[in-house]
Amino acid sequence: GDKAFAQFLTDEIKEEKKIQKHKSLPKVSGGWELEVHGTEARLVRKIAGEKITVTFNINNSIPPSAEDDTQEGQKPDEQEPELTSTPNFVVEVIKDDTKQTLVLDCHYPEDEIGHEGEEESDIFTIREVSFQPTGESDWKDTNYTLNTDSLDWALYDHLMDFLADRGVDNTFADELIELSTALEHQEYIKFLEDLKSFVKCQ
């Protein structure tokens, strides 16, 4: 059984490498520096007196509906639907002279993806906004968190403009999907390779 499994994995890895779009990770325009730690990626950008950090994790970032379409009995030459990774991402804005970090929790609404309705529609939304003490990795539940569901639209628009002024706009969000999808695929191939060596290990 293990032999067949290893052979299957070998073929699968070959296939996945064939359809791999990016041999190296795509760049995000606008002077963002990328750091990757396993499945977590961080983009950092410094502008006058501020540091902007965008963090996302590729785990569970592929919407479930895409996976159901792949039929078991599919012929190898049929094009599988392209899986796209749309992770939630967290934007942190740190001003040099304050002890607080503004944290904006953003996500891609599932129904919005791929429906080009209005020209001006944003491809991501802000879900929550809070202040966190700068430099602390554990966020406190005791800090007030603003949920945007019941938010005044004018305030919400200003928050979106605030992000856009710092380079987090639709273009960025599109490039983040590209990057995340490439990263997810790279990690998947690596996982298959690890699984293969694990299965072969006597």
mmCIF file of all heavy atoms in Angstrom, residues 53-86:
data_model
loop_
_atom_site.group_PDB
_atom_site.id
_atom_site.type_symbol
_atom_site.label_atom_id
_atom_site.label_comp_id
_atom_site.label_asym_id
_atom_site.label_seq_id
_atom_site.Cartn_x
_atom_site.Cartn_y
_atom_site.Cartn_z
ATOM 1 N N THR A 53 2.281 47.083 8.757
ATOM 2 C CA THR A 53 2.532 45.646 8.673
ATOM 3 C C THR A 53 1.244 44.943 8.296
ATOM 4 O O THR A 53 0.203 45.200 8.891
ATOM 5 C CB THR A 53 2.991 45.106 10.052
ATOM 6 O OG1 THR A 53 4.073 45.886 10.502
ATOM 7 C CG2 THR A 53 3.422 43.664 9.960
ATOM 8 N N VAL A 54 1.320 44.070 7.297
ATOM 9 C CA VAL A 54 0.151 43.271 6.915
ATOM 10 C C VAL A 54 0.524 41.809 7.130
ATOM 11 O O VAL A 54 1.517 41.338 6.593
ATOM 12 C CB VAL A 54 -0.215 43.499 5.435
ATOM 13 C CG1 VAL A 54 -1.399 42.626 5.035
ATOM 14 C CG2 VAL A 54 -0.533 44.967 5.183
ATOM 15 N N THR A 55 -0.255 41.119 7.952
ATOM 16 C CA THR A 55 0.044 39.721 8.261
ATOM 17 C C THR A 55 -1.108 38.836 7.801
ATOM 18 O O THR A 55 -2.270 39.207 7.962
ATOM 19 C CB THR A 55 0.211 39.549 9.793
ATOM 20 O OG1 THR A 55 1.039 40.592 10.280
ATOM 21 C CG2 THR A 55 0.850 38.215 10.131
ATOM 22 N N PHE A 56 -0.771 37.696 7.210
ATOM 23 C CA PHE A 56 -1.824 36.740 6.858
ATOM 24 C C PHE A 56 -1.281 35.325 6.958
ATOM 25 O O PHE A 56 -0.072 35.107 6.953
ATOM 26 C CB PHE A 56 -2.388 37.015 5.451
ATOM 27 C CG PHE A 56 -1.398 36.831 4.322
ATOM 28 C CD1 PHE A 56 -1.291 35.616 3.662
ATOM 29 C CD2 PHE A 56 -0.585 37.890 3.917
ATOM 30 C CE1 PHE A 56 -0.381 35.461 2.609
ATOM 31 C CE2 PHE A 56 0.321 37.728 2.870
ATOM 32 C CZ PHE A 56 0.416 36.504 2.221
ATOM 33 N N ASN A 57 -2.194 34.368 7.087
ATOM 34 C CA ASN A 57 -1.804 32.971 7.183
ATOM 35 C C ASN A 57 -2.542 32.209 6.091
ATOM 36 O O ASN A 57 -3.748 32.381 5.918
ATOM 37 C CB ASN A 57 -2.177 32.426 8.568
ATOM 38 C CG ASN A 57 -1.497 31.103 8.853
ATOM 39 O OD1 ASN A 57 -1.428 30.213 8.017
ATOM 40 N ND2 ASN A 57 -0.990 30.969 10.069
ATOM 41 N N ILE A 58 -1.805 31.385 5.344
ATOM 42 C CA ILE A 58 -2.438 30.692 4.212
ATOM 43 C C ILE A 58 -3.279 29.493 4.642
ATOM 44 O O ILE A 58 -4.054 28.969 3.855
ATOM 45 C CB ILE A 58 -1.396 30.213 3.182
ATOM 46 C CG1 ILE A 58 -0.363 29.307 3.860
ATOM 47 C CG2 ILE A 58 -0.761 31.389 2.477
ATOM 48 C CD1 ILE A 58 0.493 28.528 2.897
ATOM 49 N N ASN A 59 -3.142 29.040 5.886
ATOM 50 C CA ASN A 59 -3.969 27.914 6.321
ATOM 51 C C ASN A 59 -5.439 28.287 6.242
ATOM 52 O O ASN A 59 -5.829 29.384 6.620
ATOM 53 C CB ASN A 59 -3.615 27.503 7.747
ATOM 54 C CG ASN A 59 -2.373 26.633 7.781
ATOM 55 O OD1 ASN A 59 -2.011 26.027 6.771
ATOM 56 N ND2 ASN A 59 -1.721 26.569 8.919
ATOM 57 N N ASN A 60 -6.248 27.374 5.747
ATOM 58 C CA ASN A 60 -7.695 27.584 5.603
ATOM 59 C C ASN A 60 -8.042 28.830 4.796
ATOM 60 O O ASN A 60 -9.038 29.480 5.063
ATOM 61 C CB ASN A 60 -8.367 27.701 6.983
ATOM 62 C CG ASN A 60 -8.034 26.522 7.866
ATOM 63 O OD1 ASN A 60 -8.037 25.393 7.395
ATOM 64 N ND2 ASN A 60 -7.718 26.773 9.117
ATOM 65 N N SER A 61 -7.203 29.166 3.821
ATOM 66 C CA SER A 61 -7.453 30.408 3.074
ATOM 67 C C SER A 61 -8.139 30.151 1.733
ATOM 68 O O SER A 61 -8.435 31.074 0.999
ATOM 69 C CB SER A 61 -6.135 31.143 2.827
ATOM 70 O OG SER A 61 -5.298 30.366 1.988
ATOM 71 N N ILE A 62 -8.381 28.869 1.416
ATOM 72 C CA ILE A 62 -9.049 28.569 0.147
ATOM 73 C C ILE A 62 -10.532 28.342 0.414
ATOM 74 O O ILE A 62 -10.876 27.476 1.211
ATOM 75 C CB ILE A 62 -8.405 27.354 -0.546
ATOM 76 C CG1 ILE A 62 -6.993 27.757 -0.970
ATOM 77 C CG2 ILE A 62 -9.222 26.888 -1.733
ATOM 78 C CD1 ILE A 62 -6.224 26.732 -1.718
ATOM 79 N N PRO A 63 -11.395 29.151 -0.199
ATOM 80 C CA PRO A 63 -12.833 29.026 0.082
ATOM 81 C C PRO A 63 -13.318 27.620 -0.253
ATOM 82 O O PRO A 63 -12.909 27.050 -1.259
ATOM 83 C CB PRO A 63 -13.481 30.059 -0.845
ATOM 84 C CG PRO A 63 -12.385 30.928 -1.309
ATOM 85 C CD PRO A 63 -11.104 30.171 -1.187
ATOM 86 N N PRO A 64 -14.184 27.035 0.576
ATOM 87 C CA PRO A 64 -14.589 25.641 0.413
ATOM 88 C C PRO A 64 -15.307 25.343 -0.895
ATOM 89 O O PRO A 64 -15.135 24.281 -1.451
ATOM 90 C CB PRO A 64 -15.532 25.396 1.594
ATOM 91 C CG PRO A 64 -15.893 26.737 2.111
ATOM 92 C CD PRO A 64 -14.795 27.654 1.746
ATOM 93 N N SER A 65 -16.071 26.288 -1.427
ATOM 94 C CA SER A 65 -16.865 26.000 -2.625
ATOM 95 C C SER A 65 -15.997 25.550 -3.793
ATOM 96 O O SER A 65 -16.381 24.706 -4.582
ATOM 97 C CB SER A 65 -17.664 27.231 -3.034
ATOM 98 O OG SER A 65 -16.770 28.280 -3.291
ATOM 99 N N ALA A 66 -14.786 26.098 -3.889
ATOM 100 C CA ALA A 66 -13.903 25.769 -5.007
ATOM 101 C C ALA A 66 -13.505 24.296 -4.963
ATOM 102 O O ALA A 66 -13.319 23.665 -5.995
ATOM 103 C CB ALA A 66 -12.655 26.643 -4.954
ATOM 104 N N GLU A 67 -13.391 23.736 -3.763
ATOM 105 C CA GLU A 67 -12.881 22.376 -3.645
ATOM 106 C C GLU A 67 -13.922 21.335 -4.028
ATOM 107 O O GLU A 67 -13.579 20.254 -4.471
ATOM 108 C CB GLU A 67 -12.395 22.132 -2.213
ATOM 109 C CG GLU A 67 -11.114 22.899 -1.942
ATOM 110 C CD GLU A 67 -10.760 22.958 -0.470
ATOM 111 O OE1 GLU A 67 -11.452 22.310 0.326
ATOM 112 O OE2 GLU A 67 -9.798 23.659 -0.137
ATOM 113 N N ASP A 68 -15.204 21.667 -3.864
ATOM 114 C CA ASP A 68 -16.239 20.678 -4.154
ATOM 115 C C ASP A 68 -16.364 20.383 -5.645
ATOM 116 O O ASP A 68 -16.855 19.342 -6.035
ATOM 117 C CB ASP A 68 -17.610 21.174 -3.655
ATOM 118 C CG ASP A 68 -17.562 21.495 -2.176
ATOM 119 O OD1 ASP A 68 -16.637 20.989 -1.514
ATOM 120 O OD2 ASP A 68 -18.421 22.245 -1.698
ATOM 121 N N ASP A 69 -15.912 21.310 -6.478
ATOM 122 C CA ASP A 69 -16.090 21.143 -7.919
ATOM 123 C C ASP A 69 -15.155 20.099 -8.513
ATOM 124 O O ASP A 69 -15.377 19.612 -9.606
ATOM 125 C CB ASP A 69 -15.843 22.468 -8.647
ATOM 126 C CG ASP A 69 -16.738 23.555 -8.110
ATOM 127 O OD1 ASP A 69 -17.769 23.216 -7.518
ATOM 128 O OD2 ASP A 69 -16.391 24.734 -8.273
ATOM 129 N N THR A 70 -14.075 19.798 -7.795
ATOM 130 C CA THR A 70 -13.096 18.869 -8.341
ATOM 131 C C THR A 70 -13.615 17.449 -8.168
ATOM 132 O O THR A 70 -13.669 16.942 -7.065
ATOM 133 C CB THR A 70 -11.746 19.032 -7.622
ATOM 134 O OG1 THR A 70 -11.464 20.419 -7.534
ATOM 135 C CG2 THR A 70 -10.640 18.343 -8.366
ATOM 136 N N GLN A 71 -14.015 16.842 -9.262
ATOM 137 C CA GLN A 71 -14.592 15.491 -9.192
ATOM 138 C C GLN A 71 -13.477 14.461 -9.064
ATOM 139 O O GLN A 71 -12.408 14.613 -9.646
ATOM 140 C CB GLN A 71 -15.410 15.205 -10.451
ATOM 141 C CG GLN A 71 -16.583 16.127 -10.669
ATOM 142 C CD GLN A 71 -17.506 16.178 -9.451
ATOM 143 O OE1 GLN A 71 -17.867 15.140 -8.911
ATOM 144 N NE2 GLN A 71 -17.860 17.368 -9.022
ATOM 145 N N GLU A 72 -13.779 13.383 -8.346
ATOM 146 C CA GLU A 72 -12.785 12.333 -8.161
ATOM 147 C C GLU A 72 -12.362 11.721 -9.494
ATOM 148 O O GLU A 72 -11.209 11.467 -9.735
ATOM 149 C CB GLU A 72 -13.364 11.231 -7.254
ATOM 150 C CG GLU A 72 -13.282 11.567 -5.775
ATOM 151 C CD GLU A 72 -11.859 11.858 -5.314
ATOM 152 O OE1 GLU A 72 -10.961 11.036 -5.577
ATOM 153 O OE2 GLU A 72 -11.638 12.921 -4.716
ATOM 154 N N GLY A 73 -13.343 11.447 -10.362
ATOM 155 C CA GLY A 73 -13.027 10.713 -11.578
ATOM 156 C C GLY A 73 -12.578 11.595 -12.718
ATOM 157 O O GLY A 73 -12.705 11.239 -13.881
ATOM 158 N N GLN A 74 -12.030 12.734 -12.402
ATOM 159 C CA GLN A 74 -11.661 13.678 -13.457
ATOM 160 C C GLN A 74 -10.501 13.139 -14.287
ATOM 161 O O GLN A 74 -9.555 12.573 -13.755
ATOM 162 C CB GLN A 74 -11.247 14.976 -12.794
ATOM 163 C CG GLN A 74 -11.579 16.183 -13.610
ATOM 164 C CD GLN A 74 -11.229 17.449 -12.853
ATOM 165 O OE1 GLN A 74 -10.319 17.449 -12.053
ATOM 166 N NE2 GLN A 74 -11.947 18.493 -13.099
ATOM 167 N N LYS A 75 -10.570 13.325 -15.585
ATOM 168 C CA LYS A 75 -9.452 12.900 -16.423
ATOM 169 C C LYS A 75 -8.291 13.864 -16.188
ATOM 170 O O LYS A 75 -8.495 15.066 -15.997
ATOM 171 C CB LYS A 75 -9.848 12.953 -17.901
ATOM 172 C CG LYS A 75 -10.952 11.974 -18.261
ATOM 173 C CD LYS A 75 -11.209 12.014 -19.768
ATOM 174 C CE LYS A 75 -12.581 11.487 -20.092
ATOM 175 N NZ LYS A 75 -13.662 12.385 -19.603
ATOM 176 N N PRO A 76 -7.066 13.320 -16.239
ATOM 177 C CA PRO A 76 -5.902 14.163 -15.920
ATOM 178 C C PRO A 76 -5.782 15.396 -16.812
ATOM 179 O O PRO A 76 -5.269 16.419 -16.386
ATOM 180 C CB PRO A 76 -4.711 13.234 -16.168
ATOM 181 C CG PRO A 76 -5.274 11.866 -16.262
ATOM 182 C CD PRO A 76 -6.731 11.944 -16.538
ATOM 183 N N ASP A 77 -6.278 15.284 -18.086
ATOM 184 C CA ASP A 77 -6.074 16.424 -18.972
ATOM 185 C C ASP A 77 -7.119 17.516 -18.790
ATOM 186 O O ASP A 77 -7.000 18.591 -19.353
ATOM 187 C CB ASP A 77 -6.031 15.974 -20.444
ATOM 188 C CG ASP A 77 -7.281 15.193 -20.813
ATOM 189 O OD1 ASP A 77 -8.004 14.775 -19.874
ATOM 190 O OD2 ASP A 77 -7.535 15.004 -22.007
ATOM 191 N N GLU A 78 -8.159 17.226 -18.004
ATOM 192 C CA GLU A 78 -9.145 18.281 -17.764
ATOM 193 C C GLU A 78 -8.546 19.324 -16.831
ATOM 194 O O GLU A 78 -7.898 18.988 -15.857
ATOM 195 C CB GLU A 78 -10.405 17.702 -17.120
ATOM 196 C CG GLU A 78 -11.311 17.020 -18.123
ATOM 197 C CD GLU A 78 -12.560 16.470 -17.455
ATOM 198 O OE1 GLU A 78 -13.044 17.108 -16.500
ATOM 199 O OE2 GLU A 78 -13.023 15.405 -17.872
ATOM 200 N N GLN A 79 -8.778 20.564 -17.151
ATOM 201 C CA GLN A 79 -8.218 21.639 -16.328
ATOM 202 C C GLN A 79 -8.968 21.708 -15.003
ATOM 203 O O GLN A 79 -10.182 21.903 -15.001
ATOM 204 C CB GLN A 79 -8.348 22.971 -17.089
ATOM 205 C CG GLN A 79 -7.445 24.063 -16.618
ATOM 206 C CD GLN A 79 -6.003 23.612 -16.417
ATOM 207 O OE1 GLN A 79 -5.377 23.026 -17.277
ATOM 208 N NE2 GLN A 79 -5.459 23.916 -15.247
ATOM 209 N N GLU A 80 -8.268 21.499 -13.907
ATOM 210 C CA GLU A 80 -8.942 21.646 -12.620
ATOM 211 C C GLU A 80 -9.234 23.123 -12.415
ATOM 212 O O GLU A 80 -8.493 23.979 -12.884
ATOM 213 C CB GLU A 80 -8.031 21.148 -11.493
ATOM 214 C CG GLU A 80 -7.878 19.648 -11.503
ATOM 215 C CD GLU A 80 -7.250 19.147 -10.206
ATOM 216 O OE1 GLU A 80 -7.198 19.934 -9.234
ATOM 217 O OE2 GLU A 80 -6.824 17.996 -10.184
ATOM 218 N N PRO A 81 -10.324 23.420 -11.705
ATOM 219 C CA PRO A 81 -10.578 24.839 -11.447
ATOM 220 C C PRO A 81 -9.423 25.394 -10.622
ATOM 221 O O PRO A 81 -8.890 24.696 -9.765
ATOM 222 C CB PRO A 81 -11.875 24.826 -10.630
ATOM 223 C CG PRO A 81 -11.973 23.446 -10.079
ATOM 224 C CD PRO A 81 -11.273 22.542 -11.037
ATOM 225 N N GLU A 82 -9.027 26.603 -10.948
ATOM 226 C CA GLU A 82 -7.888 27.166 -10.219
ATOM 227 C C GLU A 82 -8.300 27.511 -8.801
ATOM 228 O O GLU A 82 -9.289 28.201 -8.581
ATOM 229 C CB GLU A 82 -7.382 28.421 -10.924
ATOM 230 C CG GLU A 82 -6.198 28.117 -11.790
ATOM 231 C CD GLU A 82 -5.625 29.378 -12.398
ATOM 232 O OE1 GLU A 82 -5.449 30.369 -11.669
ATOM 233 O OE2 GLU A 82 -5.385 29.358 -13.614
ATOM 234 N N LEU A 83 -7.522 27.024 -7.857
ATOM 235 C CA LEU A 83 -7.808 27.358 -6.474
ATOM 236 C C LEU A 83 -7.169 28.698 -6.165
ATOM 237 O O LEU A 83 -6.030 28.952 -6.529
ATOM 238 C CB LEU A 83 -7.240 26.278 -5.548
ATOM 239 C CG LEU A 83 -7.852 24.885 -5.721
ATOM 240 C CD1 LEU A 83 -7.220 23.915 -4.747
ATOM 241 C CD2 LEU A 83 -9.357 24.927 -5.504
ATOM 242 N N THR A 84 -7.932 29.535 -5.524
ATOM 243 C CA THR A 84 -7.420 30.854 -5.175
ATOM 244 C C THR A 84 -7.442 30.995 -3.670
ATOM 245 O O THR A 84 -8.424 30.662 -3.026
ATOM 246 C CB THR A 84 -8.308 31.945 -5.801
ATOM 247 O OG1 THR A 84 -8.432 31.664 -7.195
ATOM 248 C CG2 THR A 84 -7.690 33.311 -5.627
ATOM 249 N N SER A 85 -6.342 31.483 -3.142
ATOM 250 C CA SER A 85 -6.248 31.663 -1.700
ATOM 251 C C SER A 85 -6.618 33.103 -1.341
ATOM 252 O O SER A 85 -5.989 34.050 -1.807
ATOM 253 C CB SER A 85 -4.807 31.341 -1.277
ATOM 254 O OG SER A 85 -4.537 31.882 -0.020
ATOM 255 N N THR A 86 -7.671 33.253 -0.553
ATOM 256 C CA THR A 86 -8.107 34.591 -0.132
ATOM 257 C C THR A 86 -8.093 34.666 1.396
ATOM 258 O O THR A 86 -9.139 34.542 2.033
ATOM 259 C CB THR A 86 -9.528 34.901 -0.642
ATOM 260 O OG1 THR A 86 -10.385 33.800 -0.292
ATOM 261 C CG2 THR A 86 -9.558 35.086 -2.138
#
